[in-house]
mmCIF file of all heavy atoms in Angstrom:
data_model
loop_
_atom_site.group_PDB
_atom_site.id
_atom_site.type_symbol
_atom_site.label_atom_id
_atom_site.label_comp_id
_atom_site.label_asym_id
_atom_site.label_seq_id
_atom_site.Cartn_x
_atom_site.Cartn_y
_atom_site.Cartn_z
ATOM 1 N N THR A 1 89.901 107.485 86.226
ATOM 2 C CA THR A 1 91.172 107.994 86.731
ATOM 3 C C THR A 1 91.794 108.961 85.730
ATOM 4 O O THR A 1 91.321 109.116 84.603
ATOM 5 C CB THR A 1 92.146 106.832 86.999
ATOM 6 O OG1 THR A 1 92.380 106.130 85.770
ATOM 7 C CG2 THR A 1 91.560 105.861 88.017
ATOM 8 N N THR A 2 92.886 109.567 86.127
ATOM 9 C CA THR A 2 93.546 110.550 85.269
ATOM 10 C C THR A 2 94.098 109.915 83.991
ATOM 11 O O THR A 2 94.290 110.606 82.995
ATOM 12 C CB THR A 2 94.693 111.234 86.030
ATOM 13 O OG1 THR A 2 95.564 110.229 86.568
ATOM 14 C CG2 THR A 2 94.153 112.084 87.175
ATOM 15 N N ASP A 3 94.355 108.601 84.024
ATOM 16 C CA ASP A 3 94.850 107.954 82.808
ATOM 17 C C ASP A 3 93.715 107.359 81.987
ATOM 18 O O ASP A 3 93.950 106.564 81.073
ATOM 19 C CB ASP A 3 95.900 106.891 83.133
ATOM 20 C CG ASP A 3 95.329 105.733 83.936
ATOM 21 O OD1 ASP A 3 94.174 105.838 84.407
ATOM 22 O OD2 ASP A 3 96.032 104.721 84.094
ATOM 23 N N GLY A 4 92.460 107.728 82.300
ATOM 24 C CA GLY A 4 91.328 107.338 81.473
ATOM 25 C C GLY A 4 90.829 105.929 81.688
ATOM 26 O O GLY A 4 90.271 105.321 80.771
ATOM 27 N N ARG A 5 90.956 105.384 82.903
ATOM 28 C CA ARG A 5 90.491 104.035 83.194
ATOM 29 C C ARG A 5 89.439 104.052 84.297
ATOM 30 O O ARG A 5 89.359 105.002 85.080
ATOM 31 C CB ARG A 5 91.660 103.144 83.635
ATOM 32 C CG ARG A 5 92.604 102.742 82.512
ATOM 33 C CD ARG A 5 93.783 101.994 83.076
ATOM 34 N NE ARG A 5 94.620 101.409 82.038
ATOM 35 C CZ ARG A 5 95.907 101.146 82.190
ATOM 36 N NH1 ARG A 5 96.497 101.412 83.331
ATOM 37 N NH2 ARG A 5 96.598 100.609 81.198
ATOM 38 N N THR A 6 88.657 102.984 84.346
ATOM 39 C CA THR A 6 87.661 102.823 85.402
ATOM 40 C C THR A 6 87.595 101.350 85.779
ATOM 41 O O THR A 6 88.128 100.483 85.081
ATOM 42 C CB THR A 6 86.281 103.327 84.944
ATOM 43 O OG1 THR A 6 85.403 103.398 86.068
ATOM 44 C CG2 THR A 6 85.661 102.393 83.900
ATOM 45 N N CYS A 7 86.930 101.056 86.887
ATOM 46 C CA CYS A 7 86.795 99.669 87.347
ATOM 47 C C CYS A 7 85.986 98.868 86.321
ATOM 48 O O CYS A 7 84.933 99.330 85.866
ATOM 49 C CB CYS A 7 86.107 99.636 88.710
ATOM 50 S SG CYS A 7 85.905 97.977 89.393
ATOM 51 N N PRO A 8 86.425 97.675 85.936
ATOM 52 C CA PRO A 8 85.698 96.904 84.917
ATOM 53 C C PRO A 8 84.363 96.346 85.397
ATOM 54 O O PRO A 8 83.569 95.894 84.575
ATOM 55 C CB PRO A 8 86.673 95.773 84.569
ATOM 56 C CG PRO A 8 87.545 95.630 85.763
ATOM 57 C CD PRO A 8 87.676 97.006 86.329
ATOM 58 N N VAL A 9 84.106 96.355 86.709
ATOM 59 C CA VAL A 9 82.821 95.899 87.249
ATOM 60 C C VAL A 9 82.115 97.090 87.878
ATOM 61 O O VAL A 9 82.580 97.639 88.880
ATOM 62 C CB VAL A 9 83.002 94.785 88.298
ATOM 63 C CG1 VAL A 9 81.645 94.311 88.813
ATOM 64 C CG2 VAL A 9 83.783 93.616 87.711
ATOM 65 N N ASN A 10 81.007 97.517 87.287
ATOM 66 C CA ASN A 10 80.280 98.679 87.787
ATOM 67 C C ASN A 10 79.240 98.233 88.815
ATOM 68 O O ASN A 10 78.036 98.407 88.643
ATOM 69 C CB ASN A 10 79.603 99.423 86.635
ATOM 70 C CG ASN A 10 78.928 100.706 87.115
ATOM 71 O OD1 ASN A 10 79.237 101.208 88.198
ATOM 72 N ND2 ASN A 10 78.009 101.221 86.326
ATOM 73 N N ALA A 11 79.727 97.613 89.887
ATOM 74 C CA ALA A 11 78.871 97.121 90.964
ATOM 75 C C ALA A 11 79.788 96.712 92.100
ATOM 76 O O ALA A 11 81.009 96.631 91.933
ATOM 77 C CB ALA A 11 78.022 95.931 90.500
ATOM 78 N N ALA A 12 79.195 96.448 93.254
ATOM 79 C CA ALA A 12 79.991 95.933 94.359
ATOM 80 C C ALA A 12 80.634 94.618 93.922
ATOM 81 O O ALA A 12 79.988 93.777 93.318
ATOM 82 C CB ALA A 12 79.117 95.713 95.589
ATOM 83 N N ASN A 13 81.902 94.467 94.226
ATOM 84 C CA ASN A 13 82.618 93.268 93.810
ATOM 85 C C ASN A 13 83.699 92.952 94.819
ATOM 86 O O ASN A 13 84.085 93.797 95.630
ATOM 87 C CB ASN A 13 83.212 93.450 92.412
ATOM 88 C CG ASN A 13 84.201 94.608 92.357
ATOM 89 O OD1 ASN A 13 85.376 94.449 92.678
ATOM 90 N ND2 ASN A 13 83.721 95.790 91.956
ATOM 91 N N SER A 14 84.177 91.744 94.774
ATOM 92 C CA SER A 14 85.251 91.332 95.675
ATOM 93 C C SER A 14 86.222 90.461 94.899
ATOM 94 O O SER A 14 85.822 89.673 94.038
ATOM 95 C CB SER A 14 84.671 90.561 96.867
ATOM 96 O OG SER A 14 85.696 90.231 97.784
ATOM 97 N N PHE A 15 87.501 90.598 95.212
ATOM 98 C CA PHE A 15 88.529 89.863 94.481
ATOM 99 C C PHE A 15 89.747 89.711 95.369
ATOM 100 O O PHE A 15 89.863 90.365 96.418
ATOM 101 C CB PHE A 15 88.902 90.598 93.186
ATOM 102 C CG PHE A 15 89.269 92.044 93.399
ATOM 103 C CD1 PHE A 15 90.579 92.417 93.659
ATOM 104 C CD2 PHE A 15 88.295 93.023 93.364
ATOM 105 C CE1 PHE A 15 90.913 93.747 93.874
ATOM 106 C CE2 PHE A 15 88.619 94.361 93.574
ATOM 107 C CZ PHE A 15 89.929 94.718 93.831
ATOM 108 N N SER A 16 90.643 88.831 94.993
ATOM 109 C CA SER A 16 91.881 88.618 95.741
ATOM 110 C C SER A 16 92.982 88.263 94.752
ATOM 111 O O SER A 16 92.718 87.987 93.579
ATOM 112 C CB SER A 16 91.710 87.507 96.786
ATOM 113 O OG SER A 16 91.295 86.305 96.159
ATOM 114 N N ASP A 17 94.213 88.282 95.231
ATOM 115 C CA ASP A 17 95.366 88.018 94.372
ATOM 116 C C ASP A 17 95.593 86.513 94.285
ATOM 117 O O ASP A 17 96.147 85.899 95.192
ATOM 118 C CB ASP A 17 96.597 88.714 94.941
ATOM 119 C CG ASP A 17 97.779 88.671 93.981
ATOM 120 O OD1 ASP A 17 97.662 88.025 92.920
ATOM 121 O OD2 ASP A 17 98.823 89.278 94.296
ATOM 122 N N THR A 18 95.141 85.902 93.186
ATOM 123 C CA THR A 18 95.312 84.454 92.980
ATOM 124 C C THR A 18 96.163 84.172 91.746
ATOM 125 O O THR A 18 96.077 83.095 91.165
ATOM 126 C CB THR A 18 93.946 83.766 92.834
ATOM 127 O OG1 THR A 18 93.201 84.405 91.779
ATOM 128 C CG2 THR A 18 93.148 83.864 94.119
ATOM 129 N N TRP A 19 96.966 85.139 91.341
ATOM 130 C CA TRP A 19 97.831 84.963 90.176
ATOM 131 C C TRP A 19 98.774 83.778 90.414
ATOM 132 O O TRP A 19 99.435 83.676 91.444
ATOM 133 C CB TRP A 19 98.646 86.230 89.949
ATOM 134 C CG TRP A 19 99.654 86.151 88.838
ATOM 135 C CD1 TRP A 19 100.981 85.863 88.955
ATOM 136 C CD2 TRP A 19 99.411 86.359 87.438
ATOM 137 N NE1 TRP A 19 101.582 85.883 87.727
ATOM 138 C CE2 TRP A 19 100.644 86.191 86.774
ATOM 139 C CE3 TRP A 19 98.292 86.675 86.688
ATOM 140 C CZ2 TRP A 19 100.781 86.316 85.397
ATOM 141 C CZ3 TRP A 19 98.424 86.803 85.319
ATOM 142 C CH2 TRP A 19 99.654 86.635 84.684
ATOM 143 N N GLY A 20 98.839 82.866 89.446
ATOM 144 C CA GLY A 20 99.739 81.721 89.548
ATOM 145 C C GLY A 20 99.195 80.541 90.322
ATOM 146 O O GLY A 20 99.873 79.515 90.445
ATOM 147 N N ALA A 21 97.976 80.656 90.875
ATOM 148 C CA ALA A 21 97.402 79.549 91.641
ATOM 149 C C ALA A 21 97.149 78.357 90.719
ATOM 150 O O ALA A 21 96.845 78.526 89.538
ATOM 151 C CB ALA A 21 96.099 79.979 92.310
ATOM 152 N N PRO A 22 97.279 77.114 91.235
ATOM 153 C CA PRO A 22 97.095 75.930 90.377
ATOM 154 C C PRO A 22 95.658 75.790 89.900
ATOM 155 O O PRO A 22 94.715 76.112 90.620
ATOM 156 C CB PRO A 22 97.490 74.767 91.296
ATOM 157 C CG PRO A 22 97.297 75.284 92.687
ATOM 158 C CD PRO A 22 97.615 76.744 92.624
ATOM 159 N N ARG A 23 95.528 75.331 88.670
ATOM 160 C CA ARG A 23 94.223 75.066 88.082
ATOM 161 C C ARG A 23 94.262 73.689 87.418
ATOM 162 O O ARG A 23 95.337 73.096 87.270
ATOM 163 C CB ARG A 23 93.848 76.148 87.055
ATOM 164 C CG ARG A 23 93.548 77.512 87.685
ATOM 165 C CD ARG A 23 92.293 77.454 88.536
ATOM 166 N NE ARG A 23 91.880 78.767 89.021
ATOM 167 C CZ ARG A 23 92.200 79.270 90.201
ATOM 168 N NH1 ARG A 23 92.993 78.557 91.020
ATOM 169 N NH2 ARG A 23 91.766 80.445 90.591
ATOM 170 N N SER A 24 93.114 73.192 87.010
ATOM 171 C CA SER A 24 93.034 71.864 86.414
ATOM 172 C C SER A 24 93.845 71.797 85.122
ATOM 173 O O SER A 24 94.096 72.818 84.471
ATOM 174 C CB SER A 24 91.575 71.508 86.132
ATOM 175 O OG SER A 24 91.008 72.432 85.207
ATOM 176 N N GLY A 25 94.232 70.582 84.761
ATOM 177 C CA GLY A 25 94.982 70.383 83.528
ATOM 178 C C GLY A 25 96.409 70.880 83.596
ATOM 179 O O GLY A 25 97.050 71.089 82.559
ATOM 180 N N GLY A 26 96.921 71.094 84.817
ATOM 181 C CA GLY A 26 98.285 71.583 84.968
ATOM 182 C C GLY A 26 98.432 73.067 84.701
ATOM 183 O O GLY A 26 99.552 73.585 84.645
ATOM 184 N N ARG A 27 97.299 73.776 84.527
ATOM 185 C CA ARG A 27 97.361 75.207 84.256
ATOM 186 C C ARG A 27 97.622 75.994 85.543
ATOM 187 O O ARG A 27 97.497 75.471 86.653
ATOM 188 C CB ARG A 27 96.033 75.705 83.652
ATOM 189 C CG ARG A 27 95.669 75.068 82.340
ATOM 190 C CD ARG A 27 94.295 75.544 81.865
ATOM 191 N NE ARG A 27 93.230 75.143 82.778
ATOM 192 C CZ ARG A 27 92.461 75.960 83.468
ATOM 193 N NH1 ARG A 27 92.633 77.277 83.369
ATOM 194 N NH2 ARG A 27 91.515 75.509 84.265
ATOM 195 N N THR A 28 97.978 77.266 85.397
ATOM 196 C CA THR A 28 98.027 78.195 86.521
ATOM 197 C C THR A 28 97.122 79.382 86.208
ATOM 198 O O THR A 28 96.851 79.673 85.041
ATOM 199 C CB THR A 28 99.463 78.695 86.791
ATOM 200 O OG1 THR A 28 99.969 79.317 85.599
ATOM 201 C CG2 THR A 28 100.369 77.547 87.206
ATOM 202 N N HIS A 29 96.662 80.046 87.261
ATOM 203 C CA HIS A 29 95.721 81.149 87.075
ATOM 204 C C HIS A 29 96.438 82.362 86.506
ATOM 205 O O HIS A 29 97.433 82.831 87.065
ATOM 206 C CB HIS A 29 95.080 81.492 88.421
ATOM 207 C CG HIS A 29 93.825 82.273 88.299
ATOM 208 N ND1 HIS A 29 93.484 83.296 89.155
ATOM 209 C CD2 HIS A 29 92.802 82.185 87.408
ATOM 210 C CE1 HIS A 29 92.316 83.789 88.801
ATOM 211 N NE2 HIS A 29 91.881 83.130 87.756
ATOM 212 N N LYS A 30 95.918 82.900 85.401
ATOM 213 C CA LYS A 30 96.556 84.017 84.709
ATOM 214 C C LYS A 30 95.732 85.303 84.806
ATOM 215 O O LYS A 30 95.839 86.170 83.945
ATOM 216 C CB LYS A 30 96.772 83.666 83.234
ATOM 217 C CG LYS A 30 97.748 82.521 83.002
ATOM 218 C CD LYS A 30 99.139 82.862 83.485
ATOM 219 C CE LYS A 30 100.132 81.759 83.147
ATOM 220 N NZ LYS A 30 101.485 82.064 83.695
ATOM 221 N N GLY A 31 94.912 85.415 85.823
ATOM 222 C CA GLY A 31 94.096 86.620 85.953
ATOM 223 C C GLY A 31 93.669 86.836 87.380
ATOM 224 O O GLY A 31 94.255 86.294 88.318
ATOM 225 N N VAL A 32 92.617 87.644 87.531
ATOM 226 C CA VAL A 32 92.007 87.874 88.836
ATOM 227 C C VAL A 32 90.517 87.600 88.691
ATOM 228 O O VAL A 32 89.902 87.986 87.690
ATOM 229 C CB VAL A 32 92.260 89.312 89.344
ATOM 230 C CG1 VAL A 32 91.681 90.350 88.406
ATOM 231 C CG2 VAL A 32 91.705 89.502 90.755
ATOM 232 N N ASP A 33 89.948 86.874 89.647
ATOM 233 C CA ASP A 33 88.523 86.562 89.633
ATOM 234 C C ASP A 33 87.778 87.588 90.473
ATOM 235 O O ASP A 33 88.005 87.707 91.676
ATOM 236 C CB ASP A 33 88.267 85.151 90.188
ATOM 237 C CG ASP A 33 88.761 84.069 89.244
ATOM 238 O OD1 ASP A 33 88.820 84.342 88.032
ATOM 239 O OD2 ASP A 33 89.082 82.963 89.714
ATOM 240 N N MET A 34 86.875 88.332 89.823
ATOM 241 C CA MET A 34 86.125 89.393 90.490
ATOM 242 C C MET A 34 84.687 88.908 90.701
ATOM 243 O O MET A 34 83.916 88.777 89.759
ATOM 244 C CB MET A 34 86.164 90.671 89.655
ATOM 245 C CG MET A 34 87.569 91.133 89.330
ATOM 246 S SD MET A 34 87.637 92.696 88.412
ATOM 247 C CE MET A 34 87.043 93.848 89.669
ATOM 248 N N VAL A 35 84.352 88.628 91.952
ATOM 249 C CA VAL A 35 83.042 88.087 92.298
ATOM 250 C C VAL A 35 82.045 89.239 92.413
ATOM 251 O O VAL A 35 82.301 90.238 93.087
ATOM 252 C CB VAL A 35 83.107 87.310 93.623
ATOM 253 C CG1 VAL A 35 81.742 86.725 93.975
ATOM 254 C CG2 VAL A 35 84.148 86.203 93.532
#
């Protein structure tokens, strides 16, 4: 892009917005999972 960035996965990938979703140990999700 014009700001010098590119997709971190150089292949077909799929992801969704799961920020804040519950995780084990009382944690919450702090990222995005790119399959």
